[in-house]
Amino acid sequence: MRVGNRIVTLRRIVRTRAATALPAGLASEVRHVKSVLHEYRVGHWSWKVDRDVRSHLARPHVRRVRRPGQVWGVSVVRNEADVVPAVVSHLLDQGLSGIVIADHSSDDGTRERLLSMAAAEPRLHVVLDSSKGHFQKEKITHLSRLAWRAGAEWIIPFDGDEFWFAPSGTLSEWLPSQSADVINSHTIHAVPLSEESDFRKRTLLLDLGGGYKKVGFRAHPLAFVAPGNHDVSRPGSRGGGLVNIHVPYRGAHQILGKFRRGAQALDDAGTPAGEGWHWRVGAKFDEADAERVWGQMQRGQAVPEIDWVAKGPHVPTRPLRSRSWAPDAKA
């Protein structure tokens, strides 16, 4: 027994010395591979779920082009017809080399609008998603790998209601100049106060008091994107500077549909009750509840029952017309 313990100890010493002998970057990659295998073996990821998710994604052929500094966006959307064309146009204007966006069985015209845009814009690639469940992190992770294979050096996992900005210049100009491998993005929640047909001309009520973190990251074949795009597992250093304006609620009718579809998708995926609890609460709203909640949001008030935080200060502005993050753009 004592001999066996010595052998185990010697093996650990050999592995430790071998790891420390590697260059820092390579050692980080080796640790990441080990963490990936561990996560699949005993963690929250499943080979079976990954395979099932991929089987429901009808992917277009994306030609591989290797050019330095390419920035790509990836997203999964559902019933965002009123805002997603503006989001895609914004990212294309930011100089992105490609966008891979999966439409998750939309029935409000989102899919048709995206396909129409893709017919005229070769940088936009639409994936048809026929799965029933949510499985957001698995889908975004898979789309990120598609983008990496197509030549992406940087990836922005965005939602269909988010407008991303760099602190200076465009995203395609700023990101390739960064030395970090993961860049945190500060989320600014916003509520529309006007109804122009061009969404990017609307006046928004920005809550500058703070929001949650999202991330953009240097492309990696074994990157794992966390739920909600709030983090990513990949080796390397971290930095900050990005900003995304999040406009999740855009009217009482939209609020009702968003919560009901979201709660159903969580149920279809067998998501535990503690995750996405606000979707399930909002799914019980009636029209009067939705009108009340929408009024509170437009007045800059918090709605704790659906986890809508209003910290302030609130600023009415038209930030979506700007080239880079400019919270003081005149309304």
Side-chain angles (χ1 to χ4, degrees), residues 21-54:
L22 294 172
L26 182 56
S28 177
E29 295 283 349
V30 170
R31 287 194 298 271
H32 182 65
V33 170
K34 288 181 178 179
S35 71
V36 168
L37 295 175
H38 176 79
E39 184 66 24
Y40 268 118
R41 188 170 63 252
V42 300
H44 298 291
W45 288 84
S46 163
W47 294 109
K48 183 178 179 180
V49 172
D50 272 1
R51 186 173 62 248
D52 184 62
V53 165
R54 290 195 302 271

Side-chain angles (χ1 to χ4, degrees), residues 116-237:
S116 176
M117 293 181 74
E121 175 51 73
R123 290 179 290 168
L124 176 60
H125 309 279
V126 180
V127 176
L128 305 184
D129 177 9
S130 61
S131 62
K132 286 191 66 177
H134 188 52
F135 301 116
Q136 190 257 1
K137 70 179 189 296
E138 290 87 355
K139 294 174 184 178
I140 289 293
T141 293
H142 180 61
L143 298 181
S144 297
R145 291 173 184 168
L146 287 180
W148 169 78
R149 286 200 291 270
E153 286 194 9
W154 283 94
I155 293 175
I156 297 174
F158 67 96
D159 288 344
D161 51 14
E162 291 177 347
F163 296 83
W164 285 60
F165 293 90
S168 61
T170 64
L171 293 168
S172 63
E173 293 168 344
W174 187 80
L175 273 171
S177 69
Q178 303 306 298
S179 59
D181 300 295
V182 179
I183 306 293
N184 291 340
S185 176
H186 178 61
T187 299
I188 303 292
H189 293 301
V191 176
L193 298 179
S194 61
E195 298 183 0
E196 288 87 349
S197 58
D198 183 347
F199 197 96
R200 290 193 286 175
K201 292 182 179 179
R202 294 187 183 184
T203 299
L204 304 181
L205 184 66
L206 301 186
D207 183 355
L208 301 180
Y212 46 67
K213 177 190 75 174
K214 295 248 177 165
V215 293
F217 61 94
R218 200 181 299 275
H220 191 283
L222 290 179
F224 282 76
V225 184
N229 307 330
H230 296 305
D231 205 352
V232 63
S233 174
R234 76 166 318 283
S237 58

Side-chain angles (χ1 to χ4, degrees), residues 259-274:
F259 279 124
R260 290 170 181 173
R261 287 188 300 270
Q264 186 61 56
L266 292 175
D267 291 342
D268 290 340
T271 307

